[in-house]
Structure formats: structure tokens, C-alpha cells
Amino acid sequence: MTETSQRPAVSDLSEGELLARIFPLLGPATGTVVGPGDDAAVLADHGGPVVVSVDTLVEDHDFRLVRVNGFRTSGYDVGWKSAAQNLSDINAMGGTATALVVSLTLPPQTPVDWVEDCARGLTAAIRGLGATGCSVVGGDLGGGGQLVITAAVTGTLDGRAPVLRSGARAGHTVAVAGTLGRAAAGLAILEDGRPVEDFGSPGEELVAAQLRPYPPLAAGPAAAAAGASAMLDISDGLVRDAGRIATASGVRLDLDPSLLRRYADPLLPAAHLLGVDPMVWVLGGGEDHGLLATFPQDALLPPGFTAVGSVVPGTPQVTLASQATALGGWDHFAD
Amino acid sequence: MTETSQRPAVSDLSEGELLARIFPLLGPATGTVVGPGDDAAVLADHGGPVVVSVDTLVEDHDFRLVRVNGFRTSGYDVGWKSAAQNLSDINAMGGTATALVVSLTLPPQTPVDWVEDCARGLTAAIRGLGATGCSVVGGDLGGGGQLVITAAVTGTLDGRAPVLRSGARAGHTVAVAGTLGRAAAGLAILEDGRPVEDFGSPGEELVAAQLRPYPPLAAGPAAAAAGASAMLDISDGLVRDAGRIATASGVRLDLDPSLLRRYADPLLPAAHLLGVDPMVWVLGGGEDHGLLATFPQDALLPPGFTAVGSVVPGTPQVTLASQATALGGWDHFAD
């Protein structure tokens, strides 16, 4: 936080005053019996099982307020990303989100307008991504040494069975919904010393993909309805996340590089400026929060999904055109 | 964190290795269709509305790993408290908890055994407080500059209406379940320079009340069943929290000091050693996570509740024997 001397900070307000600024920015608490302001929120009865997940973003670990090139991450960006990654977890089970609760840990010098922007970003993501029926229904505010935002999300399956990671079988099609490599390309631009403007408007769009990811929320329930046998959201990179399906299902996932070119080719200009192979972003980059799913041979791929490979028998691993890939070794978390 | 050189730190393990240490300490994921390990957990269908809340504990703000007197807060304590304060929020609505999701932000030097202890504390609180049917069903692990633990909790109302803060009416009885002032007394002992042992075993029990609060989880649903008109959990102090019911309900809550002596008297030895009036702890101390509720005149107080005052007409405020109290001014958050 710099250049904050002219802006009111959260330490200038009481908790109640800060909440009074935030609540109007969250919009109405749709689908609730009791919204924000009591000990807990009460959601309208959706019937059926409840899907629940939690995700955290930490300053200087998951985002940087100011980059080496002077680029500033706004509260809006952080709010958007927090909502998006949580909504994506419900999407990856084949569900639809019903509510978010959000905890903000704020250093005392945090500008009030940064927090207001964060609330706007949460709301904008919920609406912009099409999570109708979902809203921020409660939260927690507190002090800390660095900015931390944790959101927990609930969802419903609308009568469908959840799509797990363990149902991929030999012969099934491997498919992707959403984008691949764009968020990683945006991160590479942000971590480069040059101003973002040097990468032109395509570069700015890649930075936007990193800051405000666009998980395809219609695709998760559509995949579940189409009979997807396994699914997860690609948050840590295609190869690594494909490895998780391979491990959970006891199969090999073979990706077809020729089918992945369509994701790499649009990244060529930025990749050229940065001197990298864009396939590294497509195969190893996370945070796009697209979906990776497998479908039985006879299933029609639902709208938004593109085939990128197939499930084959064998030791659980991920291969590229049947070849072990060095990028497989990039999966350094042994899960 | 000090004296960690001989203990493995989280930076020595992969995320998967750390999760493999934690999962067995969480016990079975009761009441779930899908437990930890997928994109989200799926809870068994409880029917009816879902209650949801979130609470965060931050190192050096909500807890201190090492006190001036050398006292160390364990991972077990922090895990217990995180679970307890979340379970208490569901209790305060008259509900019963069904699941916790927990996000841990860990500095790289955090000892692995501290994290394992935290998982044990979460599980111990759920079981020790009697939250049968609840378990930790998922979570998130990440790095950060200071320890932060955020838990979100879901619950069910078992067919009852939620008990809000807004239903208190003139003539209703004001009652408390659980303890008052003990956590604040424990905090005062921890913040004193002397070793905890100087306060004897009663002092150690007060410190335990601060570190591992004991919200009365049977009392919330019992209050709802008995027709409680308003309820919240006392997390910020009796007067301040009573003020919230007064404001939400548009009434005055008059507390009877003679009925509060039973909470203050056991604190006299510690108060004497620290040179304070124990009523300050009873009226202003939070973190016991007892319940404050109001009941219609004709309602029988359910087991565990003790009358401490009455609801009277008038400007929303809290009085002590009909007198405005200086402690009311301690309610510095203007909500």
C-alpha cells in the first residue's frame, strides 16, 4: 500500500461504519431467508445435497498490490478473483452456486476505497459470470499484517450426481471448457519488467485473464447433464490437474498436442516478446479456471467443450501424443 | 515462531505430503456424500434451509503464539477456538452444525507439528463440544506472512425457524447460557507479565476458557424450541452484544447486577491479583461464546439458561438496574 495518505484508511472507521459502506455494494442477498447482519445467514431451501468449498487469496503470495513495472492490482480485481475461483469449485462438481460468505483480513492502512472496490469486484464477478441465484450473504472483517481474502461457497446439484475426479475410464474423451494458458501468459507479462502497454491490447487482455478469470459456469452443470465421467477445474495447470484425474481414476490421460495448438497460437505474439514457447503456458499454466472433463465415447460434448485427448489404459500419468512429458515432472506436489 | 530449527517446517513438505498428515487427524467426514479431496465437498441432504457463517483468527491480532510471560498458544488451541467460534454462530441461530471447511494460511517456517496440532484441535472441539454430525469436510492450504485460520460452517435448523436479533419485546426475560467473563479474565492473565502458574489452578482454568472456549451447543436449539424471541452469541461482551439485540429489536435491555454476581464472584481471586473489578470482565469481556437470548414471559427457560434481566420499552440501549452504564460507552463500534 502506497500513496494512501490522502485516502481514508480502514483504521479511520469503526467496523460498523465499514460494513455500512460495504453492504450496499453487495446487492440484495438473493435466495436467503436471513441475509447479512445476524450471527449467520440462512439460505432458502434448495433441496438436495449442499456443495461447499473454500479458497483463500493472500497478498504477496496469490496477488501483488504493486508489480515491479508499477502495475497495480485493484480491490476490484482481488474481489473478482476470489469469487471466480470459489464459483469455479462448485462448477467443477457440476453444481450451481447459491451463496458466498467472505472474510477480509485488512491491514489498518488499507484504503477504504480499496475495500469498497473489492466488494464491487465480488458482486461483479457473481453477476458477470452468470451465477444468478448466488450472492454474498455474510462475512467477517478483521485486522492483520497483510491482506487476506477467504471466501467459502455453497452450491446445489439440482438433482444431478456430483462429478468426481475418479470416474475416467479407458476410451473416454478428454475435453476442456474455457481458456488455457491465458492467465499464465498474463502473469508472465505482469512479472516482466516492461509496462503492460508494451504488449498492446492483446497483452492487456491476457493480464485481464490473470486478474479477472472467467470460469465457464454454464459448462459444469452441462457436463454433468451430458454424463461427464470425471471433472475438475484447471487451477494449477492442465498437466498437473489432468494428473489428478489420472491418479484418482487409475488411468492414463493422453493429450493431443495438435488439439492444443488452438490455445497456444493466440498466445504467440506475447510469447515471442517474452521469448517463451506458449505451449508451456497451455500445459503448465493455472488460474484460468477452465474445466477439464472426461466423457464416455458415446456422449455428445456439451456446448463449450473441446476435445483435447483421450483416456487410455495404463499407469496413472499424463502423456503428450503417448510420450511422457518433461512438464509432467513439473507436478512437484506429490498428490 | 521460535525454537523451530529442530522441527520440520511446512516448507519441507509438498502440499500433498502436508495434506496426507492432516487428513487422518480430521476423523471421518461424517454426513457427506463427497468428503475432502475433490474440488468441493458434498453434504448429505439434511432438508430445509442451510445456515452458513465464516470466522477468521489472525496471528498477533486474534491470538499470540508467544506471550510476554513466555506462554505459548498451541496449534491445538487455535484449531479448537476456530471451530468453537464457528459452531457458536450456528448455535446462536438455533441451528446445529453440519460441516466445517477450513483455510489455513501458513508462513513457510510454521512447524509441521503445529499444523497437525491445529487439525487435532479442530476435531477435538467438534467432538468435545458435542457437534455430532459435523466434521471438517474440506479446506485450503496456502502460504502467507502470518498465520491465518478461516473456517466456514454450515448448519441445519431441523425444521425450526431461525432465532434472529430482532424479536425481543418489552416484558420478555433476558437470559444467558454458558459462561461470562471467564475468557476475558484468562486474557488478562495472559497479558499480565507474571507466569500463569502464579494464578494457581483457577487461573489456569481461566486461561483455558480464553484459549479453548466452550460454547453451550445444546442451548441454541433448546432456546429455539422454547420460543426464544431473540438470540446471539456473546463474542464481543455482554453489554455490547446486548446492545445489538436492543438496536435490532428497538427495545431497552435492562440487566440486573444482582443476577450477574454469580458470574463475577468466582473471578474474584484472579481479579484481586490483577487489581480489577471482575464485573468489568462479566459486562465487557467477549470470547466466552455463551448465548444471550430473550424469552416471552410465559416461556420456561430451557436448561442451561439463567435470567439476567428484562426487556423494557424505551430508546434502544442497555442499562444496569435501569441506570445508563459507562460500559455502554465501551461499545465503540457504532453498530
Side-chain angles (χ1 to χ4, degrees):
Chain A
M1 288 288 168
T2 55
E3 294 177 18
T4 63
S5 54
Q6 305 307 310
R7 301 154 70 189
V10 295
S11 57
D12 297 327
L13 299 184
S14 71
E15 184 182 355
E17 288 167 343
L18 189 54
L19 286 172
R21 301 254 197 139
I22 293 174
F23 278 169
L25 305 173
L26 299 177
T30 56
T32 59
V33 177
V34 180
D38 216 297
D39 293 83
V42 182
L43 310 183
D45 184 3
H46 288 273
V50 173
V51 191
V52 60
S53 187
V54 64
D55 265 310
T56 294
L57 295 172
V58 180
E59 177 184 356
D60 292 337
H61 286 256
D62 301 297
F63 63 90
R64 290 190 186 280
L65 290 173
V66 185
R67 294 276 175 184
V68 287
N69 61 4
F71 187 92
R72 289 175 183 280
T73 302
S74 67
Y76 186 93
D77 295 336
V78 173
W80 179 293
K81 193 165 193 169
S82 175
Q85 68 177 11
N86 274 278
L87 296 171
S88 182
D89 282 328
I90 302 298
N91 196 37
M93 301 301 283
T96 54
T98 51
L100 286 176
V101 288
V102 180
S103 175
L104 281 176
T105 299
L106 303 168
Q109 73 275 20
T110 308
V112 172
D113 59 15
W114 195 96
V115 181
E116 293 172 326
D117 241 20
C118 182
R120 286 189 195 97
L122 285 162
T123 308
I126 291 169
R127 291 178 184 169
L129 298 171
T132 54
C134 179
S135 58
V136 178
V137 301
D140 187 32
L141 288 176
Q146 64 185 159
L147 276 162
V148 181
I149 179 169
T150 297
V153 60
T154 57
T156 176
L157 293 168
D158 298 318
R160 293 181 302 272
V163 184
L164 309 186
R165 301 176 174 186
S166 51
R169 297 292 175 264
H172 290 193
T173 301
V174 178
V176 163
T179 61
L180 285 176
R182 290 176 58 81
L187 182 63
I189 291 171
L190 285 173
E191 291 185 338
D192 186 66
R194 282 167 282 182
V196 172
E197 296 72 34
D198 286 12
F199 295 85
S201 63
E204 290 172 10
E205 285 172 22
L206 296 175
V207 167
Q210 162 61 219
L211 298 177
R212 299 181 295 279
Y214 222 90
L217 296 191
S229 51
M231 185 158 64
L232 48 58
D233 90 312
I234 306 169
S235 54
D236 294 320
L238 176 61
V239 171
R240 185 174 163 198
D241 285 317
R244 290 173 168 151
I245 288 182
T247 300
S249 299
V251 294
R252 177 159 69 89
L253 266 64
D254 188 46
L255 303 176
D256 183 339
S258 70
L259 297 175
L260 293 170
R261 290 295 337 162
R262 56 177 290 166
Y263 300 100
D265 287 344
L267 305 175
L268 277 169
H272 181 72
L273 281 170
L274 289 163
V276 299
D277 177 353
M279 279 297 275
V280 173
W281 293 331
V282 170
L283 293 169
E287 302 191 285
D288 288 84
H289 295 290
L291 293 175
L292 177 67
T294 60
F295 293 90
Q297 298 91 316
D298 55 356
L300 277 176
L301 291 190
F305 277 92
T306 303
V308 297
S310 55
V311 183
V312 293
T315 310
Q317 62 174 315
V318 179
T319 51
L320 261 182
S322 299
Q323 302 296 308
T325 165
L327 275 170
W330 184 81
D331 184 5
H332 56 272
F333 288 117
D335 56 341
Chain B
M1 288 288 168
T2 54
E3 297 178 16
T4 62
S5 54
Q6 305 308 311
R7 299 152 73 188
V10 295
S11 57
D12 297 327
L13 299 184
S14 71
E15 184 181 356
E17 288 167 343
L18 188 54
L19 286 172
R21 300 254 198 142
I22 292 173
F23 280 168
L25 305 175
L26 300 176
T30 55
T32 60
V33 177
V34 179
D38 216 297
D39 294 83
V42 182
L43 310 183
D45 184 4
H46 288 274
V50 173
V51 191
V52 59
S53 187
V54 64
D55 266 309
T56 294
L57 295 172
V58 180
E59 178 185 354
D60 292 337
H61 286 256
D62 301 297
F63 63 90
R64 291 190 184 280
L65 290 173
V66 185
R67 295 276 173 183
V68 286
N69 61 4
F71 188 91
R72 289 175 182 281
T73 303
S74 67
Y76 186 94
D77 295 336
V78 173
W80 179 293
K81 192 166 193 168
S82 175
Q85 70 177 11
N86 274 278
L87 296 172
S88 182
D89 282 328
I90 302 299
N91 195 37
M93 302 300 283
T96 54
T98 50
L100 286 175
V101 287
V102 180
S103 175
L104 280 176
T105 299
L106 302 169
Q109 73 276 19
T110 307
V112 171
D113 58 17
W114 194 95
V115 182
E116 293 172 326
D117 240 21
C118 182
R120 286 189 195 98
L122 285 162
T123 308
I126 292 169
R127 293 179 183 168
L129 297 172
T132 53
C134 180
S135 58
V136 178
V137 301
D140 187 32
L141 286 177
Q146 62 185 162
L147 276 163
V148 181
I149 177 168
T150 296
V153 60
T154 58
T156 177
L157 293 168
D158 299 317
R160 294 180 300 272
V163 184
L164 310 185
R165 299 175 176 188
S166 50
R169 297 294 175 262
H172 289 193
T173 301
V174 178
V176 163
T179 61
L180 286 176
R182 290 176 59 81
L187 182 62
I189 291 171
L190 284 173
E191 290 185 339
D192 185 68
R194 283 166 281 183
V196 172
E197 295 73 34
D198 287 12
F199 295 84
S201 62
E204 289 173 11
E205 285 172 22
L206 296 175
V207 167
Q210 161 63 217
L211 298 176
R212 298 181 297 278
Y214 222 91
L217 295 191
S229 50
M231 186 158 63
L232 47 58
D233 89 311
I234 307 169
S235 53
D236 294 321
L238 176 62
V239 171
R240 183 173 165 200
D241 286 316
R244 290 174 166 149
I245 288 182
T247 300
S249 298
V251 293
R252 177 160 68 89
L253 267 63
D254 188 47
L255 303 176
D256 183 339
S258 70
L259 298 175
L260 293 169
R261 290 290 345 157
R262 58 176 288 167
Y263 299 101
D265 287 344
L267 305 174
L268 277 169
H272 180 73
L273 281 169
L274 289 163
V276 299
D277 177 354
M279 280 296 276
V280 173
W281 292 333
V282 170
L283 294 169
E287 301 191 287
D288 288 85
H289 295 289
L291 293 175
L292 177 68
T294 59
F295 294 90
Q297 297 91 315
D298 55 356
L300 276 176
L301 292 190
F305 277 92
T306 302
V308 296
S310 55
V311 183
V312 292
T315 310
Q317 62 174 316
V318 179
T319 51
L320 260 183
S322 299
Q323 303 295 309
T325 163
L327 273 170
W330 183 82
D331 185 4
H332 57 271
F333 287 115
D335 56 342

